[in-house]
Every structure is written in structure tokens, then in C-alpha cells.
Amino acid sequence: MSFAVHEPYSIPASYQVQDSREFEREALLTPIQADAVVIGAGITGNTLSIHLADAGKSVVQLEAKVPGWGGSGRAFGSVVPCHKNNEEAIIHHYGQQRGTAVIDALAQGPALVAELLNRYKIDAAFDSGGWAFGAHTKAFEKILQKRAEYWQSRGADVEYLNATEFSQLIGSEYYRAGLVDRRALSINPLAYAQGLFRAAHQLGAKQYTNTPAVDVKQKPDGNWRVTTPQGSVECENIYFCTNAYTKGIWPGLEKGFVPVRGFGATTAVIDPAQLAEVLPQNHFITDTRQLWSGIRKLPSGQIHLGVGGPAMGANGRADLKTASKRLKQVFPSIEFEWQESWSGWIAISTDQFPRILHLADGAWAAQGYSGRGLAMATLLGRELSLCNGSSEREDLMLPVEKNPRVPFHRFSPLGAAMLIRWYAFQDYMAEKNK
Ligand SMILES: Cc1cc2nc3c(=O)[nH]c(=O)nc-3n(C[C@H](O)[C@H](O)[C@H](O)COP(=O)(O)OP(=O)(O)OC[C@H]3O[C@@H](n4cnc5c(N)ncnc54)[C@H](O)[C@@H]3O)c2cc1C
């Protein structure tokens, strides 16, 4: 089997606030043994390594590049207490009991992340008033109002704001109304992933960076042998935490999702007087449009946007022209120039729900976060640590599935490209009729 993660862009410099030499590790040059091998050092793999090491297991963690190299080090950085699919859809998908457990676990997602930041002294959370979710059309005003009522009835710190209140909150008159969710966190996702990696190391996980797993084979005694370019590891349990960056390491594993490229961009440092007018309480914004809408301030004084770009291949850069238009629409008086843009791969599942996969006895994976993975990867890292051998536990947050295949996977990029165009058209029409 061959290994090749096709990621042409490096991790954003805007996120690289720590000396990366701290995360360099020795080379794996010999055959070794462990209870568990964790492949990938994003949030899933790092959280899993922490839980396994904490439970007394010997853990070897293999990372093809550096910790946070995948989606974890490139994300927009919003940790929100809900899924992309609404609560009704979650219950419909998982049933009442499990659906309610998923909704509750996600509602606790930001608190769980905050708890880990605190426990492992990870300096990754930005000072933020929470999530300001804007309604960009009249129809969405009602939907957000209903959403606020739902969460308020459950005691959550969520409030529906009319146009005037919302504009005071974010420093812009662009939206018709909005919802503020004070449970959400705004983080540096790379610092979070690196901090978890460090914590796993401190708990005893043996970590190897720039060390891809290139082959995985089951031995006659049932154990696994994971081969790297210069060494190998034998283990009882192996965990694939490679999400959208999965390629060729387990037959068909990358066919369980459609890889779509997401983009981020940061401005140069903004004049402080102007910046004070933008998001005065440091909320991060997203809105009810279909495509990228995130805007937030970074502690460095830059503005950070989630932006569009060529989503279906590794070529091409972020669409900064559209991003400039959007930033000017929402904050017309701001003067800025772009400093940096980047991209990262997102694993979209057919129904946008993530999966825990039981690939074979002792072989497990989690994937398909569909662009909402910061809290979910933290949760599924914990859930994977409860999976071992042949046991398919009933008490996990998600049902355990076999390797799912996206139907007609070869053609899925075409389908995804058409869907993205459709979303862009919907956003365009909504903007026109605003
Ligand atoms: C542009 C962008 C914006 C996003 N914004 C948000 C957001 O605001 N909020 C949110 O909740 N989610 C967001 N996401 C999604 C979120 O980042 C991901 O769902 C989450 O980080 C996935 O974590 P992970 O650990 O499972 O995978 P990853 O972080 O992708 O880690 C996988 C790792 O596996 C390694 N790997 C792959 N193959 C091998 C191999 N054979 N051997 C060894 N290592 C290997 C890779 O190098 C990589 O480091 C965003 C994603 C992107 C790309």
C-alpha cells in the first residue's frame, strides 16, 4: 500500500504561536511493541492517546507530518455546542435515546474542550463573548428564534436578539437579527491540537512525527503489525484517526466520506481604533447562509475569515475577492489587506454525521466530521478509547458501524461540486432579495 496525503499548503502561520521544535520527536528505527497504535496526531488521535495512556495502556502514536497538520491545525476555530444537523434531524437519525445523548454531549462540547484546556494548561482559548449567529433573511429570523427558545427551555445561555441588539453586539447592521450563544469557544485549533499532543506525551505515549504508517497487517496471532518507513510496531489494537487525510492505509477507508477543501484567510494587523468597532465583545460570527461565513478577531489584531475557494482538488487558492466583498459588506468602514490564506481537507459524510468504525477485530476508526470536528473529535477520541478487540459496545455515544461507503464514490466530487454551486446560488439569491 502506498501513502500520500496530498496537502499542498502548510499550517497557517497565524496559528503558529508556539515553538514547533517542542513537538519534534525521535525517529522510529526498530520494531517495537505496544498495546495500542494511534495513527494521526490531530484532535481525535491526541485525545485518544491521552485516554488510553491515562487508562494505563502502552501507546504508540504515529503522525505522518507534525501534530495538527490536518484539519485540526487549519480549522476556523469555533467550538460550538451543536451539530450542523438540527436537533430534530439528530433524533430522527439516531432515535430518541441515542439522539438525545448526542445532543447533550455536543451541548457540553465547548465545556469539555475548556476542561481539557484547563487540565493540561493549554493556552489556546481566545477571549470571546461566544457565538453570534446572524439571520441573513427574514425566513431565518423565525428559525433562530425557535432555536433560541429550544435552548433556553434547556437552561442554556442563549439569547435571540433583534436587529438593533444584534448590531450593537457585533458592530454591524448587516443582519436582520441574530442569536448569541455564550457557551461557544473561539480557539486557536493548532495550539489546542499541539497541547493535547504534549499532554499525551507527558502521560507516557510514545510519539513519532514525520513517521507515516505505510502498511497495516494482521498477524496469525490476531495482533497487528504497523509498518513505517524505517520501523514497525506490533499491537493488539490499532486506531485510524486520519479523517479527511486518510489515504491508502486501510482498504476503502477513504471511501466513507467525500474530501472537500475549506479555506481560511487572515488580514494584516488592523488599525486598533478601527478594530475596536468590529466585534466589540470579541464574538465570532457565522450566519444562516449555506457557504462560508465565519468572521472573528485574533488576539494579534488580525481579522480571520472562513472563505471559499476551489473545493474539489488540491489546486487553486482561497477566493479573496469574494472574501473582501463579504468583509466590506459586514464591516463597511474597515480598511484591510490580506496577509495569509490557507486550505485544509474536510471529510464530509453523506448525511453529515460522523462515524465510529469497527474495521476488523482490534481495528477502529473515527471519521466524517463534516466540518464540525473540534468538539466532536474531542468526544470521539474519548469514545474510541473504549473500543478494543472485537467488542462492539452498545453504550458508546454513536453506534459502531462497519466501513461505510459513499455510493458512487468515484463520482462524489462531481456531486459535491454541484451541491456547492447550488449553495452559492441560494446565497446569491438570498443576498439579492435581502
Ligand atoms: C478550513 C477548515 C475549517 C474548519 N473549521 C472548523 C470549525 O470552525 N469548527 C469545527 O468544529 N471544525 C472545523 N473544521 C473541522 C475540524 O478541523 C476537523 O473535523 C477535525 O480537526 C478533525 O480532527 P482529526 O484529528 O480527526 O483529523 P486531522 O486533524 O485531519 O488529523 C489527521 C492526521 O492524520 C495524519 N495522517 C494521515 N494519514 C496518516 C498515516 N498514514 N500515518 C500517520 N499519520 C497520518 C495527518 O497528517 C493528520 O495530522 C474545519 C476544517 C477545515 C479544514
Side-chain angles (χ1 to χ4, degrees), residues 143-176:
I143 292 172
L144 291 197
Q145 207 161 7
K146 241 180 96 189
R147 206 185 166 103
E149 281 161 16
Y150 170 84
W151 283 112
Q152 279 165 356
S153 73
R154 304 195 61 191
D157 194 356
V158 176
E159 202 180 342
Y160 179 77
L161 303 176
N162 64 28
T164 314
E165 293 163 334
F166 196 67
S167 75
Q168 279 165 4
L169 189 87
I170 65 167
S172 161
E173 292 174 358
Y174 180 72
Y175 292 105
R176 302 183 63 102

Side-chain angles (χ1 to χ4, degrees), residues 17-179:
V17 291
Q18 303 185 66
D19 186 345
S20 58
R21 282 173 300 185
E22 194 201 326
F23 308 106
E24 286 169 7
R25 298 287 184 264
E26 63 188 276
L28 176 56
L29 301 173
T30 53
I32 57 171
Q33 294 195 327
D35 294 328
V37 169
V38 174
I39 303 181
I43 294 165
T44 309
N46 296 343
T47 314
L48 170 62
S49 294
I50 287 174
H51 283 286
L52 289 172
D54 223 8
K57 304 275 183 207
S58 59
V59 181
V60 165
Q61 193 176 4
L62 304 174
E63 166 53 51
K65 297 279 191 174
V66 293
W69 173 257
S72 300
R74 300 160 191 271
F76 178 68
S78 58
V79 186
V80 295
C82 54
H83 196 261
K84 273 194 172 158
N85 295 320
N86 66 26
E87 287 69 34
E88 248 170 35
I90 296 175
I91 301 281
H92 183 254
H93 183 78
Y94 292 115
Q96 187 68 38
Q97 200 182 345
R98 184 168 254 141
T100 307
V102 170
I103 293 167
D104 290 347
L106 279 170
Q108 291 302 317
L112 175 67
V113 171
E115 206 256 311
L116 292 179
L117 293 178
N118 194 30
R119 188 186 316 161
Y120 297 116
K121 302 192 176 10
I122 303 171
D123 185 11
F126 299 153
D127 177 23
S128 166
W131 177 22
F133 190 25
H136 78 302
T137 63
K138 191 157 179 53
F140 278 104
E141 287 176 41
K142 285 245 153 22
I143 292 172
L144 291 197
Q145 207 161 7
K146 241 180 96 189
R147 206 185 166 103
E149 281 161 16
Y150 170 84
W151 283 112
Q152 279 165 356
S153 73
R154 304 195 61 191
D157 194 356
V158 176
E159 202 180 342
Y160 179 77
L161 303 176
N162 64 28
T164 314
E165 293 163 334
F166 196 67
S167 75
Q168 279 165 4
L169 189 87
I170 65 167
S172 161
E173 292 174 358
Y174 180 72
Y175 292 105
R176 302 183 63 102
L179 177 150

